[in-house]
Short mmCIF file of all heavy atoms in Angstrom, two decimals:
data_model
loop_
_atom_site.label_atom_id
_atom_site.label_comp_id
_atom_site.label_asym_id
_atom_site.label_seq_id
_atom_site.Cartn_x
_atom_site.Cartn_y
_atom_site.Cartn_z
N ASN A 322 6.20 7.94 -9.50
CA ASN A 322 4.86 8.42 -9.86
C ASN A 322 4.87 9.90 -10.20
O ASN A 322 4.21 10.34 -11.15
CB ASN A 322 3.88 8.15 -8.73
CG ASN A 322 3.26 6.76 -8.79
OD1 ASN A 322 2.22 6.55 -9.39
ND2 ASN A 322 3.93 5.80 -8.19
N LEU A 323 5.61 10.69 -9.45
CA LEU A 323 5.69 12.12 -9.74
C LEU A 323 6.33 12.37 -11.10
O LEU A 323 5.91 13.28 -11.83
CB LEU A 323 6.47 12.83 -8.64
CG LEU A 323 5.76 12.97 -7.29
CD1 LEU A 323 6.71 13.51 -6.23
CD2 LEU A 323 4.54 13.87 -7.42
N ALA A 324 7.33 11.58 -11.44
CA ALA A 324 7.95 11.72 -12.75
C ALA A 324 6.96 11.41 -13.86
O ALA A 324 6.89 12.13 -14.87
CB ALA A 324 9.17 10.79 -12.84
N GLN A 325 6.17 10.35 -13.66
CA GLN A 325 5.13 10.02 -14.65
C GLN A 325 4.13 11.15 -14.81
O GLN A 325 3.73 11.51 -15.92
CB GLN A 325 4.39 8.75 -14.22
CG GLN A 325 5.18 7.48 -14.28
CD GLN A 325 4.42 6.29 -13.72
OE1 GLN A 325 5.00 5.35 -13.22
NE2 GLN A 325 3.10 6.34 -13.80
N MET A 326 3.70 11.73 -13.70
CA MET A 326 2.72 12.80 -13.73
C MET A 326 3.29 14.05 -14.40
O MET A 326 2.60 14.74 -15.14
CB MET A 326 2.26 13.11 -12.30
CG MET A 326 1.49 11.96 -11.66
SD MET A 326 1.28 12.16 -9.86
CE MET A 326 0.11 13.50 -9.81
N ALA A 327 4.56 14.33 -14.14
CA ALA A 327 5.19 15.48 -14.77
C ALA A 327 5.29 15.31 -16.28
O ALA A 327 5.32 16.29 -17.04
CB ALA A 327 6.58 15.71 -14.18
N ALA A 328 5.31 14.06 -16.73
CA ALA A 328 5.36 13.77 -18.17
C ALA A 328 3.98 13.72 -18.79
O ALA A 328 3.84 13.56 -20.00
CB ALA A 328 6.08 12.44 -18.41
N GLY A 329 2.94 13.83 -17.97
CA GLY A 329 1.58 13.81 -18.49
C GLY A 329 0.87 12.49 -18.36
O GLY A 329 -0.28 12.34 -18.80
N TYR A 330 1.53 11.51 -17.73
CA TYR A 330 0.91 10.20 -17.54
C TYR A 330 0.21 10.16 -16.18
O TYR A 330 0.61 10.85 -15.24
CB TYR A 330 1.98 9.09 -17.59
CG TYR A 330 2.58 8.87 -18.96
CD1 TYR A 330 3.68 9.62 -19.38
CD2 TYR A 330 2.04 7.93 -19.83
CE1 TYR A 330 4.23 9.42 -20.64
CE2 TYR A 330 2.59 7.73 -21.08
CZ TYR A 330 3.69 8.47 -21.49
OH TYR A 330 4.22 8.28 -22.74
N PRO A 331 -0.84 9.34 -16.03
CA PRO A 331 -1.49 9.23 -14.72
C PRO A 331 -0.59 8.49 -13.74
O PRO A 331 0.27 7.69 -14.12
CB PRO A 331 -2.75 8.42 -15.02
CG PRO A 331 -2.41 7.62 -16.26
CD PRO A 331 -1.50 8.50 -17.06
N ALA A 332 -0.77 8.78 -12.46
CA ALA A 332 -0.02 8.08 -11.43
C ALA A 332 -0.51 6.65 -11.31
O ALA A 332 -1.68 6.36 -11.50
CB ALA A 332 -0.17 8.81 -10.09
N GLU A 333 0.41 5.76 -11.01
CA GLU A 333 0.04 4.36 -10.76
C GLU A 333 -0.55 4.21 -9.36
O GLU A 333 -1.39 3.37 -9.11
CB GLU A 333 1.28 3.49 -10.95
CG GLU A 333 1.25 2.12 -10.27
CD GLU A 333 1.80 2.17 -8.85
OE1 GLU A 333 2.66 3.03 -8.56
OE2 GLU A 333 1.35 1.35 -8.03
N GLU A 334 -0.13 5.06 -8.42
CA GLU A 334 -0.60 5.01 -7.04
C GLU A 334 -1.90 5.79 -6.92
O GLU A 334 -1.94 6.99 -7.19
CB GLU A 334 0.47 5.59 -6.11
CG GLU A 334 0.14 5.44 -4.64
CD GLU A 334 1.26 5.94 -3.75
OE1 GLU A 334 2.36 6.23 -4.26
OE2 GLU A 334 1.03 6.05 -2.53
N CYS A 335 -2.97 5.12 -6.49
CA CYS A 335 -4.31 5.73 -6.56
C CYS A 335 -4.42 7.01 -5.75
O CYS A 335 -5.12 7.93 -6.14
CB CYS A 335 -5.37 4.72 -6.12
SG CYS A 335 -5.27 4.22 -4.38
N GLY A 336 -3.73 7.11 -4.63
CA GLY A 336 -3.85 8.28 -3.78
C GLY A 336 -3.25 9.54 -4.35
O GLY A 336 -3.41 10.62 -3.78
N MET A 337 -2.57 9.43 -5.50
CA MET A 337 -1.93 10.59 -6.09
C MET A 337 -2.71 11.16 -7.27
O MET A 337 -2.28 12.14 -7.88
CB MET A 337 -0.50 10.23 -6.54
CG MET A 337 0.39 9.78 -5.39
SD MET A 337 2.06 9.33 -5.89
CE MET A 337 2.75 10.94 -6.29
N ASN A 338 -3.84 10.57 -7.58
CA ASN A 338 -4.62 11.03 -8.73
C ASN A 338 -5.77 11.95 -8.37
O ASN A 338 -6.46 12.47 -9.24
CB ASN A 338 -5.16 9.81 -9.51
CG ASN A 338 -4.09 9.17 -10.36
OD1 ASN A 338 -3.32 9.86 -11.02
ND2 ASN A 338 -4.03 7.84 -10.34
N GLY A 339 -6.02 12.12 -7.07
CA GLY A 339 -7.05 13.06 -6.65
C GLY A 339 -8.46 12.52 -6.69
O GLY A 339 -9.41 13.24 -6.41
N CYS A 340 -8.61 11.25 -7.02
CA CYS A 340 -9.94 10.65 -7.10
C CYS A 340 -9.84 9.16 -6.85
O CYS A 340 -8.98 8.49 -7.43
CB CYS A 340 -10.56 10.91 -8.47
SG CYS A 340 -12.18 10.14 -8.71
N CYS A 341 -10.68 8.64 -5.97
CA CYS A 341 -10.67 7.21 -5.69
C CYS A 341 -11.17 6.42 -6.89
O CYS A 341 -12.09 6.85 -7.59
CB CYS A 341 -11.54 6.90 -4.48
SG CYS A 341 -10.95 7.64 -2.95
N SER A 342 -10.59 5.26 -7.10
CA SER A 342 -10.96 4.43 -8.25
C SER A 342 -11.93 3.32 -7.89
O SER A 342 -12.39 2.60 -8.76
CB SER A 342 -9.71 3.82 -8.88
OG SER A 342 -9.00 3.04 -7.91
#
Side-chain angles (χ1 to χ4, degrees):
N322 273 270
L323 288 172
Q325 291 175 209
M326 294 166 71
Y330 290 88
E333 159 270 332
E334 187 176 350
C335 65
M337 299 179 71
N338 283 316
C340 177
C341 296
S342 58

